[in-house]
Amino acid sequence: MSKFCGSLLLLALITFQSCIASQEVVARKLKFSPRARPPPSHHAEMARYLAHTVDWCVIGTTSTMKGREGLPFTNILSVSDGPVNNSTGVPYFYVTNLDQSNKDILENKRVSISMSEYQTGYCSNHSIDAEDPKCTRLTLGGKFVKVTDKAEKDFALKALFTRHPEMKHWVKYHQFYPAKMDIDFIWLLDSSGHGAAIISPKKYYAVKW
């Protein structure tokens, strides 16, 4: 009898833990989608939506690696344009100069970053392949710079740590610091048959959030 009761107790505990984990996953997913998806024809709004909703991107730099000098190099970076309720459109990053991308950036600050709507779950939920134009993709180009202003640095750290809590512990090991992209180029593809849209930074930042 005691073994039976123990088994029931263990089953109840596992079920409870599974429910808690499930709730955390759902909460985290909702946390990154505070607004409805804009219509495809609203290019600036769509660009801001995607820049705020995703939590990582692909960065492209000009390689400085021996034997690969001057060739394209890509890497993964976590990103945040602000806390959940405060989108700025500015991509902030938490980086270290030990990373290969940053070694490249020290020689050439011109970079591109790309984001895919596939991260949000919209494309998979609608059976849309990541390469399908209806699965929005965004590329931002500009200069990758270290955040030095104290007020902006505090904001950048808040933006990053609220979206990526694990980052709080990274600075102890590899001298991480906040950086951002000064955007001067925006390329968006969010529908088929119309081609990509080039959006001015002025229109991009003018979107009310």
Side-chain angles (χ1 to χ4, degrees), residues 35 44-45 48 87 203-209:
R35 286 200 169 198
E45 288 82 356
R48 283 290 299 274
S87 166
K203 286 186 177 180
Y204 174 82
Y205 285 119
V207 174
K208 302 298 181 184
W209 198 273

Side-chain angles (χ1 to χ4, degrees), residues 31 34-35 52 82-88 155 158 162-163 209:
K31 179 178 170 184
R35 286 200 169 198
H52 184 59
V84 175
N85 61 352
N86 186 8
S87 166
T88 65
F155 177 84
K158 179 181 178 181
T162 55
R163 301 278 294 265
W209 198 273

Side-chain angles (χ1 to χ4, degrees), residues 10-82:
L10 179 60
L11 179 61
L13 179 60
I14 293 173
T15 302
F16 174 76
Q17 291 176 333
S18 297
C19 289
I20 293 298
S22 177
Q23 289 174 354
E24 288 177 350
V25 169
V26 171
R28 188 176 185 277
K29 187 172 182 180
L30 291 175
K31 179 178 170 184
F32 295 101
S33 302
R35 286 200 169 198
R37 183 179 188 268
S41 58
H42 292 61
H43 296 136
E45 288 82 356
M46 180 63 83
R48 283 290 299 274
Y49 168 79
L50 194 56
H52 184 59
T53 304
V54 303
D55 57 5
W56 61 270
C57 66
V58 176
I59 184 169
T61 57
T62 303
S63 176
T64 57
M65 285 186 286
K66 187 176 180 179
R68 301 286 299 174
E69 295 91 343
L71 297 176
F73 177 75
T74 60
N75 204 350
I76 302 295
L77 281 185
S78 294
V79 63
S80 173
D81 82 327

